[in-house]
Amino acid sequence: MVVRPPYGFNESFFQSECITCESKACVTSCDEQIIFIEEDGIPRLDFSKSGCTFCEDCASACEANVLSLEHTHTSEQINAVFRISTEGCVAHHGVICFSCKEPCIDDAILFNGLFNPVIDTDKCTGCGFCLGRCPTQAISFDAIAMATYPNETE
Ligand code: SF4
Ligand code: SF4
Ligand code: SF4
């Protein structure tokens, strides 16, 4: 499973449409420069240098409607689940560090006082901004299936 740009419908739609897309307009539309094309011709996100602002530019640029604002189930949600390693995170070992909390505009990183941060998966949009900020690379993620509303799969 791969992390795709927001505003997608489901993985099959990426697989069927993006391989024949010549413009790859989503890539150049993204000011954060987090969209990359894989060898199979399908876009994926790379959070190593930045994250997604949900600016909607990639959805506007995609003429094939693989990315579209009509896909409301992924309009502010990327198909990734983030976590903080309690082994790697220094704030789980008595060191004060808020490097991940500061860029998280959704306030999805919860501290117990000054320490022991965890990610609230209900609040986390998968934007990825926290990932590159962690000095010990203690934040990781897994791609998950894009949720779809039942009436959109018919
Ligand atoms: S512009 Fe749309 S169809 Fe083309 S690669 Fe990007 S997401 Fe796929
Ligand atoms: S919504 Fe904006 S920042 Fe996010 S991937 Fe699309 S173009 Fe990039
Ligand atoms: S915890 Fe989630 S919402 Fe907050 S910065 Fe990290 S990926 Fe984005």
Side-chain angles (χ1 to χ4, degrees):
M1 205 112 50
V2 177
V3 179
R4 303 300 187 196
Y7 315 108
F9 179 60
N10 59 24
E11 177 64 21
S12 313
F13 209 13
F14 282 95
Q15 302 266 352
S16 62
E17 299 298 320
C18 296
I19 51 173
T20 56
C21 169
E22 293 183 2
S23 73
K24 308 297 187 199
C26 54
V27 176
T28 47
S29 76
C30 181
D31 285 346
E32 299 297 329
Q33 300 183 354
I34 60 171
I35 304 180
F36 293 84
I37 300 296
E38 300 229 280
E39 281 184 12
D40 58 9
I42 306 175
R44 68 171 172 82
L45 298 188
D46 182 329
F47 300 120
S48 55
K49 295 193 172 61
S50 192
C52 174
T53 60
F54 298 100
C55 68
E56 305 181 356
D57 286 354
C58 54
S60 302
C62 177
E63 292 183 356
N65 282 338
V66 172
L67 312 178
S68 167
L69 298 183
E70 291 177 10
H71 303 152
T72 52
H73 62 295
T74 55
S75 62
E76 287 243 343
Q77 184 66 54
I78 285 165
N79 67 310
V81 172
F82 280 72
R83 73 182 70 79
I84 295 173
S85 160
T86 54
E87 286 184 11
C89 169
V90 294
H92 278 267
H93 299 277
V95 177
I96 293 176
C97 171
F98 291 109
S99 296
C100 57
K101 188 174 179 64
E102 183 261 319
C104 182
I105 59 171
D106 297 291
D107 201 23
I109 302 184
L110 309 177
F111 280 68
N112 185 4
L114 297 177
F115 303 112
N116 302 340
V118 293
I119 293 179
D120 180 342
T121 51
D122 288 334
K123 284 186 175 178
C124 176
T125 61
C127 73
F129 275 109
C130 56
L131 187 89
R133 301 288 190 90
C134 175
T136 58
Q137 289 83 49
I139 300 177
S140 61
F141 62 88
D142 281 322
I144 56 169
M146 274 168 243
T148 52
Y149 292 140
N151 62 351
E152 288 181 318
T153 58
E154 289 171 0

